[in-house]
Amino acid sequence: MQSSKKIVVLGHFGVGKTSLIRRFVTDTFSDNYKVTIGVHITKKVVEISPDDTISLILWDLEGTDDIESIRNAYLLGTHGVVFVFDITRPSTFQHLNNDLKIVSSKIPNVPFLVVGNKTDLVAPSELKSVFDENNISVDFFTSAKTGDAVNDLFSKLANQLVSDA
Amino acid sequence: MLEKYREQYINRSIQFTFVDQKGIVVESDEVLFELKTGSSIYEFHPFFESLGAILESPEEEISFHCVHLSLEEDLLITDIKALKKTDGLLLIIYDLTQHYNSYQLATQARNESIIKTELTVIKNLELEERELFKNRFIQNFSHELRNPLTSIISIAKIIGDTELNGGQKKMLDFLMESSDNLKLLLEDILSISMIASGKLKLDVKIFSLYQLLELLEFTYSSKAREKGLEFMLKRNSKIPEFIEGDRLRLFQVLTNLLDNAIKYSESGKVSLELLFNQKRANRISMRFQVTDTGAGIPEESLTTIFESFTRLRSSEKQGGTGLGLSIVNGLLELMGSEIKVDSTLGEGSVFYFDIVLKYPLQLASKSLLKVADKKQAKIKKPKEGVRFKLLLVEDDLAIQTVLFKFLMNTKHFYVDFVDDGDQVMSKIVSEQYDIILMDVKLPNTNGDEITRQIRNFPFKNIKDIPIVGITANAYEENIKSYLNAGMNAVLSKPFEEELLIETIYKFLK
């Protein structure tokens, strides 16, 4: 049986979680911002190797600036986490290290990727320095709009999930 | 009857489904969607793939709120309750689509508004930072430019006093004209930067408007004559002689407008008119109007000519930076007025502004004139043969040479040099000086700091030595801070020989 892994996608509202998933699953993008309430769940089968696939069940959670308030039921049985922030809005990453601590305590011992989204809005030269200065470690800088690094992000997570299994 | 309504409004929006430990549908009432008995619920929607985790968890009952179930045709937004039973899971699925749709609309409006506010704040901060950077850059740039420019202008003047042949004199005239233009350009750039950063404050005082107009008439009649133009000044007789305003800035506005009028007129005349609008209490509204017979301004350019660095015609002959009208615009805004223009192509342009200023109601003009004149009174020159001891504190060798030459020309000074801030105190303690001429920016200790030390010195003969500061840092706030430190006067570079010497004379006893 094909293995299936639950991934929760978290972060503040308006950071582009839904757009990242849509880009990954259907390779589309819309500029219209529609707020996610509750949870949307989609599925995508990812090829790990020519003989091996994995089914990613992506839980797109409603954005919140209070990570503590995320309902525990949504996190039950999670295999991996993607934490997304918006690189153009400091409010979405100014407490990032603290937010990550909270998530880790709620979902311990699972692979975890930190993603700065909306790179299409910032000059590449400015990117790394801002986060290095603020001691923020980022795994991927993505753009759901252009698709930049989106597949890489989910592939990396899928591979981590397979190797951890 | 209530049972009937319960059936209609509640029971039809709640589905009961029972699945076994492997997720196979045992029974479903299919109120909301069809789930075939014997099928795997995991295949129905990815949400249900998480049921395995529920079975493994120690919780007996778990609720999921606001779960979106995209079915073939519909989107159901549901709350799902999973209850563990001995032989499987009971799922109770509530259809709350309508309720959650209205919640979504409210959340959408709230989040959009928060994001919009946040982005606006960020954008404003960015603009402020950029503006700050720009103004700091201009300040530093003008500072760096002032020292070499002072040397150029002063040395050119010294060369002008020596014997030169015709060709050399002509070249020197070009050199002096170019440096004068550079000096004006520097002042324009500083004005723009000060207006933009809000650092420029109006210095409102009573002054003679008639005198200002006479000065303009004198200056621009000759400028117009040089170009073969006629110059005319008209003033309405109801305009009072004395008004309260910033004389320097009004002068700057009018000279910019008149310079442009002459620059862009090849023939005909340029006029400055002062028209009366109305008087109320001690306020007068009047219109300043500058008319030229130049080529006129195309309609599409009328809105852009007041922006910085805009020049209508890029003719090299006319020169200029395109900052003039932008300065006019900024200064008039500060004065609560606005520059306007009417123009006809081929006929000329009229630039005008209405301004309301206070004027003194009951002051005898003669006594007032004395007050106004007092500041402009000629400084008394020292008697022939009298010499003063001056300490010159300057680290730039070129400027030191120029200043020395200026001072020697007067035959009224013995000059001692110091080029390091740290040497000043020991020098003035060991020697008696009548005055100190000191650069503000010095190695080790700056001029303003030395001034503070001198003013706090216990002995009167040292404490009271007059100090004239010289600085390339021409911002008003800097000059004020040097004066507050105790300097008697501060001259900004590049300065004129005459002004420098007169300022020194003013403080000699």
Side-chain angles (χ1 to χ4, degrees), chain B residues 209-226:
Chain B
L209 184 59
Y210 290 6
Q211 258 189 15
L212 178 88
L213 294 174
E214 271 169 34
L215 177 63
L216 287 169
E217 186 176 26
F218 176 76
T219 311
Y220 287 93
S221 295
S222 73
K223 277 195 180 185
R225 223 177 7 253
E226 275 172 27

Side-chain angles (χ1 to χ4, degrees), chain A:
Chain A
M1 187 184 144
Q2 185 183 57
S3 76
S4 114
K5 301 286 179 188
K6 173 176 171 178
I7 292 167
V8 290
V9 183
L10 303 168
H12 289 219
F13 56 82
V15 298
K17 297 180 291 296
T18 307
S19 296
L20 274 177
I21 293 172
R22 190 181 296 161
R23 171 61 76 190
F24 174 58
V25 176
T26 63
D27 198 20
T28 55
F29 177 81
S30 164
D31 267 319
N32 295 329
Y33 167 51
K34 191 182 176 201
V35 170
T36 303
I37 54 162
V39 59
H40 287 258
I41 301 141
T42 44
K43 178 173 174 176
K44 176 152 174 162
V45 176
V46 176
E47 196 178 272
I48 300 295
S49 67
D51 314 313
D52 197 7
T53 57
I54 182 173
S55 175
L56 299 182
I57 315 293
L58 302 156
W59 283 52
D60 175 13
L61 301 194
E62 175 175 340
T64 173
D65 43 15
D66 178 12
I67 299 297
E68 193 87 60
S69 69
I70 295 173
R71 290 191 170 103
N72 286 330
Y74 290 153
L75 308 176
L76 199 71
T78 296
H79 298 102
V81 177
V82 176
F83 189 98
V84 188
F85 66 88
D86 176 348
I87 56 171
T88 68
R89 282 167 52 216
S91 69
T92 69
F93 58 80
Q94 62 192 4
H95 304 300
L96 188 83
N97 289 330
N98 193 45
D99 287 347
L100 298 181
K101 258 188 214 164
I102 295 169
V103 179
S104 294
S105 68
K106 278 176 172 267
I107 326 166
N109 309 319
V110 297
F112 208 116
L113 291 181
V114 178
V115 177
N117 190 34
K118 305 194 187 179
T119 53
D120 50 289
L121 299 176
V122 174
S125 55
E126 288 177 33
L127 259 182
K128 250 186 90 56
S129 60
V130 175
F131 299 103
D132 286 349
E133 274 167 26
N134 290 292
N135 201 19
I136 294 172
S137 161
V138 183
D139 296 298
F140 282 92
F141 285 108
T142 59
S143 165
K145 188 170 185 171
T146 64
D148 196 32
V150 176
N151 283 338
D152 297 345
L153 146 73
F154 287 104
S155 292
K156 179 170 180 183
L157 191 57
N159 278 297
Q160 259 180 286
L161 291 171
V162 170
S163 61
D164 287 355

Side-chain angles (χ1 to χ4, degrees), chain B residues 292-323:
Chain B
D292 67 52
T293 48
I297 302 158
E299 209 178 326
E300 64 272 18
S301 303
L302 286 174
T303 50
T304 58
I305 52 168
F306 299 111
E307 290 167 10
S308 300
F309 304 105
T310 299
R311 271 166 62 195
L312 196 55
R313 288 165 281 273
S314 53
S315 153
E316 284 301 318
K317 203 173 84 183
Q318 278 146 350
T321 56
L323 286 172

Side-chain angles (χ1 to χ4, degrees), chain B residues 307-431:
Chain B
E307 290 167 10
S308 300
F309 304 105
T310 299
R311 271 166 62 195
L312 196 55
R313 288 165 281 273
S314 53
S315 153
E316 284 301 318
K317 203 173 84 183
Q318 278 146 350
T321 56
L323 286 172
L325 287 179
S326 173
I327 293 172
V328 167
N329 203 20
L331 288 177
L332 286 179
E333 251 178 53
L334 269 179
M335 295 181 199
S337 178
E338 188 189 0
I339 184 74
K340 290 179 179 158
V341 58
D342 293 334
S343 189
T344 313
L345 274 179
E347 287 181 20
S349 310
V350 184
F351 286 86
Y352 60 96
F353 58 92
D354 293 311
I355 190 164
V356 180
L357 291 169
K358 275 193 195 171
Y359 69 100
L361 284 172
Q362 290 173 332
L363 278 171
S365 61
K366 270 192 179 174
S367 63
L368 199 67
L369 194 60
K370 268 189 186 167
V371 175
D373 264 350
K374 208 175 170 183
K375 282 191 177 167
Q376 292 161 15
K378 272 266 172 199
I379 312 286
K380 250 190 167 178
K381 257 180 136 181
K383 283 182 188 157
E384 210 170 308
V386 176
R387 288 202 179 221
F388 298 92
K389 209 157 176 209
L390 182 145
L391 178 65
L392 174 58
V393 190
E394 170 64 68
D395 61 319
D396 186 314
L397 197 62
I399 293 180
Q400 209 182 69
T401 314
V402 168
L403 289 171
F404 181 69
K405 178 86 183 160
F406 286 170
L407 293 164
M408 287 298 106
N409 283 348
T410 65
K411 294 179 181 146
H412 285 301
F413 297 99
Y414 299 110
V415 180
D416 274 353
F417 294 99
V418 165
D419 60 5
D420 185 317
D422 277 357
Q423 295 167 8
V424 178
M425 287 310 285
S426 59
K427 194 83 184 160
I428 57 171
V429 169
S430 58
E431 304 264 345

Side-chain angles (χ1 to χ4, degrees), chain A residues 4 13-14 33-35 37-43 57 59 62 65 71 73-74 76-77 88-91, chain B residues 45-47 49-50 53-54 62-68 100 103-104 107-108 111-112 114-115 118-119 122:
Chain A
S4 114
F13 56 82
Y33 167 51
K34 191 182 176 201
V35 170
I37 54 162
V39 59
H40 287 258
I41 301 141
T42 44
K43 178 173 174 176
I57 315 293
W59 283 52
E62 175 175 340
D65 43 15
R71 290 191 170 103
Y74 290 153
L76 199 71
T88 68
R89 282 167 52 216
S91 69
Chain B
H45 190 275
F47 165 77
E49 292 198 38
S50 63
I54 298 171
I62 295 175
S63 293
F64 295 87
H65 296 276
C66 198
V67 179
H68 291 64
Y100 280 127
Y103 170 69
Q104 200 280 337
T107 312
Q108 179 88 31
N111 289 10
E112 273 180 4
I114 292 174
I115 292 172
E118 199 180 332
L119 291 177
I122 292 170

Side-chain angles (χ1 to χ4, degrees), chain B residues 239-265:
Chain B
I239 307 281
E241 177 175 359
F242 291 96
I243 56 166
E244 254 183 271
D246 189 327
R247 182 189 178 279
L248 177 71
R249 299 304 169 191
L250 184 62
F251 185 72
Q252 203 177 355
V253 166
L254 293 170
T255 50
N256 267 309
L257 291 176
L258 287 166
D259 279 336
N260 266 352
I262 289 181
K263 194 196 293 178
Y264 290 116
S265 298

